[in-house]
């Protein structure tokens, strides 16, 4: 289940991609399939080991085109182990709401992104997320949990302050908002509640079968209750000094 829409966020074969805070690796796997040179980074060593196994299995199964590469590694989002301007593309999906120093993370992403490069940022959307926080303290008051809720304008302002130029936004995963509301209402750790189990089966069926009816319904509902807010931005090229053709310092 992808949150980034690659029809709005084009990826070319050979692009060097950083999936920052990759988690289980869903976006990294898609980039690998599209022929990118992918680095999937997360601070969770257990998840990184699983991502590495999946990369190897994908390569063995021929799921990635020739020239595509994939590396999974542990790392700190606030001190990325890469030189300046290392990547054509950076993706950070459902991560920034967990990190106290979100401005520091943005600064690191901008540092390692090449001029003209593209960045995709996804976070929980304010309205649906606020409902979850209202229904359940346990939803967010856990170690490593969500520490803030972004309003769209606030996130876009931080993106601009970091030196990036936003060029598009949308919402995603409307069908998942009611599921999390049910989880929060019946207990975040209570997977046995009948409404939660029933809705989970619906989501699994939707993900596996992708029926037209639910695809149309989600597209219609995304602007209203989409669970995620997605923003796309570019890193501008440095201006050139008049009459010299040299990059400004």
């Amino acid at each position: 289940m992808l949150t980034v829409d690659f029809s709005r966020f084009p990826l070319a074969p050979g692009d060097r991609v950083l999936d920052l805070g990759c988690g289980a690796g869903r976006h990294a796997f898609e980039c690998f399939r599209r022929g990118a040179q992918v680095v999937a980074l997360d601070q969770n060593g257990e998840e990184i080991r699983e991502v590495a196994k999946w990369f190897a299995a994908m390569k063995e199964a021929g799921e990635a085109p020739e020239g595509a590469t994939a590396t999974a590694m542990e790392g700190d989002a606030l001190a990325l182990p890469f030189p300046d301007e290392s990547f054509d593309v950076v993706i950070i999906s459902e991560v920034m709401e967990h990190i106290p120093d979100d401005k520091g993370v943005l600064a690191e992403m901008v540092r390692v992104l090449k001029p003209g490069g593209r960045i995709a940022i996804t976070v929980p959307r304010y309205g649906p997320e606020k409902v979850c926080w209202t229904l359940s303290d346990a939803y967010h008051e856990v170690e490593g949990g969500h520490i803030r809720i972004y309003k769209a304008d606030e996130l876009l302002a931080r993106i601009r302050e970091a030196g990036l130029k936003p060029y598009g936004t949308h919402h995603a995963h409307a069908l998942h908002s009611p599921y999390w509301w049910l989880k929060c209402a019946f207990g975040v750790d209570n997977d046995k509640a009948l409404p939660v189990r029933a809705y989970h089966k619906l989501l699994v069926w939707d993900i596996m079968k992708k029926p037209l009816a639910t695809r149309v319904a989600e597209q219609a509902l995304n602007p209203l209750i989409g669970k995620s807010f997605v923003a796309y931005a570019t890193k501008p090229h440095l201006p050139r000094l008049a009459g010299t053709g040299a990059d400004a310092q």
Side-chain angles (χ1 to χ4, degrees):
M1 183 187 72
L2 300 174
T3 307
V4 172
D5 181 352
F6 286 93
S7 69
R8 310 183 195 214
F9 189 67
L11 193 68
D15 275 352
R16 186 162 167 78
V17 178
L18 173 64
D19 185 2
L20 180 55
C22 65
R26 57 201 174 104
H27 288 106
F29 299 149
E30 180 64 20
C31 294
F32 190 32
R33 290 188 188 98
R34 289 171 178 261
Q37 298 176 7
V38 185
V39 176
L41 183 144
D42 201 285
Q43 66 177 1
N44 186 318
E46 184 176 341
E47 286 197 309
I48 282 298
R49 287 187 287 275
E50 284 299 311
V51 170
K53 289 178 184 178
W54 277 105
F55 278 149
M58 290 173 66
K59 183 176 182 179
E60 185 175 346
E63 289 189 36
E66 186 175 351
T69 62
T71 302
M73 61 186 296
E74 289 185 61
D76 182 354
L78 289 166
L80 295 174
F82 310 113
D84 296 356
E85 302 179 5
S86 298
F87 294 94
D88 302 290
V89 172
V90 176
I91 297 171
I92 183 166
S93 183
E94 312 299 303
V95 173
M96 287 180 56
E97 66 276 8
H98 296 272
I99 301 177
D101 186 8
D102 58 343
K103 291 183 178 180
V105 173
L106 274 167
E108 273 293 87
M109 290 190 289
V110 171
R111 180 184 68 78
V112 301
L113 186 64
K114 296 177 182 178
R118 304 172 305 286
I119 188 166
I121 299 173
T122 91
V123 297
R125 184 183 184 177
Y126 183 85
E129 184 77 348
K130 190 70 174 178
V131 173
C132 290
W133 282 46
T134 301
L135 290 172
S136 171
D137 290 337
Y139 172 79
H140 63 97
E141 291 181 355
V142 295
E143 184 178 355
H146 298 184
I147 62 172
R148 71 174 65 81
I149 309 176
Y150 289 100
K151 292 183 178 179
D153 290 347
E154 175 188 6
L155 180 61
L156 291 171
R158 294 198 182 192
I159 290 171
R160 292 187 181 97
E161 288 168 4
L164 298 167
K165 184 178 180 181
Y167 70 84
T169 66
H170 64 89
H171 301 98
H173 310 318
L175 296 183
H176 288 250
S177 290
Y179 172 71
W180 282 102
W181 297 339
L182 288 169
K183 289 268 288 181
C184 289
F186 286 93
V188 173
D189 297 320
N190 180 14
D191 293 327
K192 296 182 179 180
L194 179 59
V196 174
R197 286 192 291 123
Y199 202 97
H200 183 262
K201 287 182 179 179
L202 170 66
L203 290 179
V204 172
W205 172 76
D206 175 59
I207 291 170
M208 297 301 294
K209 300 296 185 181
K210 297 180 174 63
L212 178 61
T214 55
R215 296 300 87 214
V216 171
E218 184 155 80
Q219 288 296 318
L221 291 171
N222 274 338
L224 302 173
I225 60 168
K227 184 74 171 66
S228 294
F229 174 70
V230 187
Y232 305 109
T234 58
K235 179 178 177 178
H237 290 275
L238 290 172
R240 295 186 178 276
L241 294 175
T244 67
D247 287 335
Q249 301 298 315

